[in-house]
């Protein structure tokens, strides 16, 4: 890589809703580490070849020609005069990772076809255009999904995967230089068109709001790779998807506009480790607009108050792109952010390299107990539809388990799916289960989620396109019994001989605790208690953030100017002054080497870090609007009293539904599958982590009535 890349925005334009934390430029160390990062990403195969890039361009050009032919054809068929037929036009836009410039080899291209008012979605797009594509030899694997929330047509064109959306505008003629970033483009548009346009509008706005596109792209490519390796890349599973990571990275670029990717990655973890969720992440102020479309506003929309990790899209209508995040997945991501921050600190101290940051998360080694959700169908097409539906509902299972166990059981959904090659038309999903850190183990305490699992299955089976053969089974499986087909090559790997960062970290914490106990006087606690206390403290910090009664949100008011002024005042008086003055003085110094390897005294480095943390604290905790108390029930959890009665009747009839009941001490965890087999496990304290251990095989007790709720107010996620 060449010389340091400074901001490509001229005129000192400020991007974001607050002042930057630092305007410091890169050091020589940053340049070296950024070059190392770029080489690491290239060696990991994250960049496509020039030949593949050219082929993608050719496919997009050909697709644009096809939709132009299509719109003229349907215009003539609808009886329009020859002049309107000749003027009829349609245009292809791209969005997502391809438009952002962070796609990898073999990635699909998200595309949008914009057509005129007389080209309908149902008859023309999913009718005539679909027929045209199906007759082309270059097109394969055509998969129209007209009834999706955002209707899409998926296919491969000359081997390149395409996801094609459609937006019908209120224009008779689509100009070739159409600017879809203008809000007026949404005038008289139906809901499906607004959603389809949203992807392109958000992507383009992100690129406008980052100070340096090249640095943004490398940092985003790095963070997406990291998220996939650590198992937190999946919107549908309750983690974050591509647009979420893009928005988080873009905000860091705004806060450090002149930094190189090496520092941006480090500050990404530092900022979001300290972020006070549910304060929202925003790239710009939220505008109410003039079209009356619903925007993210916790003051007006009750559902918005339940969002745990709001990441707001910058294009009108501004929405929360991360509403799928649950308490469990937020906790998991918070722990991963902390791990990333620790690794980056060790890297700055020269103790580790980039490969440590990207060590894959050992999901099937992390827990002792899992839920296995198996699905099957009679043919490939039915399985594809059934899989998509079940996958979209898995988040409901996580939410139900959290609520029905009073947030004392943590669920970790695996973001991927697995297939047993020996079983045709079969897929399965996994969830790791463990008692939440800090929850005391009380004798006789039981967490029975049999009814919860049955509720989930009943809801899934309400699929409107259900066909015979579409089946779902939920069962409990212990770590040692995880099926081999989930592992690479279909074989269970041996215990890793090489210590990972996570294993070394755990060993260091345990050793430090033991050493401290040896030197301590009475009353200091055991190593297990001390280590558990650390974990509990980290979790309490997350919970305390969720309990915050204030949410940072530059929301529309009757006077937008006053709102902007108020927020700017909070930001600049707090974060702005410290970020630009204190941090500038402490971090930049005379040599400007604060972001490189420590070159000054330990005291200077400590002061720099402390000043920067103060700036981050100010920016991440600017209050604006109250957040909803989580004592209210989540609207998304569709509880049906009649369904519960059915479960009770089923139990009275002698049929135990599939269940997992988590207990302490001698109590058991039982799972009954459709064939009547059951297994059991119990809670025991094992070292520094309370985990589930195997117990004797036993049949689950019949459920006459669901467990009565405790008399005291149930614990709530804060």
């Amino acid at each position: 890589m060449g010389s340091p890349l400074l901001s490509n925005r001229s005129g000192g334009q400020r991007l974001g809703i607050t002042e930057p934390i630092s305007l410091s430029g890169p050091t020589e160390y940053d340049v070296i580490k950024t070059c190392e990062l770029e080489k690491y990403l290239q060696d990991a195969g994250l960049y496509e070849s020039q030949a593949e890039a050219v082929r993608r361009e050719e496919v997009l050009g050909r697709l644009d020609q096809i939709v132009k032919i299509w719109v003229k054809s349907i215009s003539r068929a609808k009886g329009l005069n020859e002049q309107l037929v000749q003027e009829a036009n349609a245009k292809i836009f791209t969005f997502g990772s391809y438009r952002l410039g962070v796609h990898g080899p073999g990635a699909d291209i998200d595309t949008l076809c914009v057509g005129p008012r007389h080209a309908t979605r149902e008859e023309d797009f999913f009718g005539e255009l679909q027929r045209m594509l199906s007759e082309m030899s270059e097109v394969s694997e055509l998969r129209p999904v007209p009834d999706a929330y955002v209707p899409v047509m998926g296919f491969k064109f000359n081997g390149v995967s395409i996801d094609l959306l459609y937006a019908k505008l209120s224009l008779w003629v689509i100009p070739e230089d159409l600017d879809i970033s203008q809000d007026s483009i949404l005038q008289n548009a139906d809901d499906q068109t607004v959603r389809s346009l949203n992807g392109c509008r958000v992507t383009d706005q992100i690129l406008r709001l980052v100070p340096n596109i090249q640095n943004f792209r490398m940092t985003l490519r790095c963070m997406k790779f990291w998220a996939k390796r650590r198992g937190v890349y999946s919107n549908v599973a309750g983690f974050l998807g591509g647009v979420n990571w893009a928005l988080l990275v873009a905000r860091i670029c705004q806060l450090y506009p002149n930094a190189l990717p090496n520092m941006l990655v480090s500050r990404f973890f530092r900022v979001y480790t300290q972020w006070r969720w549910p304060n929202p992440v925003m790239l710009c102020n939220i505008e109410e607009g003039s079209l009356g479309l619903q925007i993210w506003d916790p003051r007006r929309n009750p559902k918005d108050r339940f969002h745990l990790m709001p990441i707001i899209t910058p294009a009108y209508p501004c929405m929360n792109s991360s509403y799928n995040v649950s308490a469990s997945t937020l906790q998991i991501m918070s722990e991963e952010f902390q791990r990333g921050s620790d690794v980056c600190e060790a890297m700055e101290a020269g103790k580790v390299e980039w490969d440590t940051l990207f060590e894959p998360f050992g999901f099937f080694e992390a827990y002792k107990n899992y839920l296995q959700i198996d699905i099957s169908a009679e043919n490939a097409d039915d399985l594809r539809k059934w899989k998509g539906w079940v996958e979209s509902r898995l988040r409901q299972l996580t939410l139900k388990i959290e609520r029905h166990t009073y947030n004392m059981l943590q669920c970790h959904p695996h973001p991927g799916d697995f297939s047993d090659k020996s079983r045709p038309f079969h897929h399965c999903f996994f969830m790791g289960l463990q008692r939440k850190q800090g929850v005391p183990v009380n004798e006789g305490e039981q967490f029975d989620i049999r009814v919860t699992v049955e509720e989930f299955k009943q809801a899934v089976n309400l699929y409107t396109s259900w066909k015979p053969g579409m089946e779902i089974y939920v069962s409990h499986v212990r770590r040692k019994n995880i099926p081999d087909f989930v592992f690479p090559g279909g074989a269970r790997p041996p215990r890793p001989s090489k210590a990972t960062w996570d294993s070394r970290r755990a060993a260091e914490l345990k050793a430090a605790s033991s050493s401290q106990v040896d030197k301590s006087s009475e009353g200091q606690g055991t190593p297990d208690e001390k280590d558990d206390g650390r974990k509990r403290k980290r979790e309490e910090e997350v919970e305390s953030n969720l309990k915050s009664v204030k949410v940072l949100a530059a929301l529309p008011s009757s006077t937008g100017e006053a709102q902007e002024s108020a927020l700017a005042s909070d930001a600049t008086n707090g974060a702005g002054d410290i970020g630009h003055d204190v941090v500038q003085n402490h971090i930049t110094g005379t040599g400007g080497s604060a972001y490189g390897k420590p070159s000054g005294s330990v005291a200077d480095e400590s002061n720099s870090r402390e000043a920067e943390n103060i700036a981050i604290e100010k920016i991440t905790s600017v209050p604006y609007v109250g957040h909803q108390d989580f004592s209210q029930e989540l609207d998304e959890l569709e509880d049906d009293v009649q369904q519960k009665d059915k479960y009770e009747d089923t139990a009275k009839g002698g049929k135990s539904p599939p269940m997992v009941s988590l207990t302490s001490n001698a109590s058991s965890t039982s799972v009954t599958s459709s064939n009547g087999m059951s297994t059991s496990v119990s809670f025991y304290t094992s070292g520094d982590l309370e985990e589930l251990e195997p117990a004797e095989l036993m049949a689950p007790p019949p459920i006459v009535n669901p467990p009565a709720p405790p008399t005291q107010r149930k614990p709530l996620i804060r």
Side-chain angles (χ1 to χ4, degrees), residues 395-454:
R395 172 176 169 271
Q396 294 296 327
L397 178 57
T398 301
L399 292 174
K400 286 176 182 291
I401 290 175
E402 287 176 355
R403 188 185 60 171
H404 291 178
T405 61
Y406 310 139
N407 292 307
M408 289 187 279
L409 182 63
Q410 181 171 303
C411 302
H412 185 168
H414 191 288
D417 63 272
F418 303 88
S419 178
D420 186 353
K421 303 302 181 184
S422 65
R423 298 174 58 186
F425 315 125
H426 162 267
H427 279 284
C428 68
F429 306 90
F430 287 88
M431 285 186 180
L433 296 176
Q434 75 173 11
R435 184 186 293 268
K436 191 175 180 182
Q437 293 296 332
V439 174
V441 182
N442 299 322
E443 184 174 357
E445 182 181 36
Q446 177 170 319
F447 303 99
D448 189 340
I449 61 173
R450 288 177 292 187
V451 173
T452 305
V453 170
E454 189 65 17

Side-chain angles (χ1 to χ4, degrees), residues 448-468:
D448 189 340
I449 61 173
R450 288 177 292 187
V451 173
T452 305
V453 170
E454 189 65 17
E455 277 186 25
F456 166 73
K457 289 178 59 180
Q458 293 284 344
V460 167
N461 284 324
L462 294 177
Y463 181 41
T464 55
S465 299
W466 185 90
K467 294 181 181 179

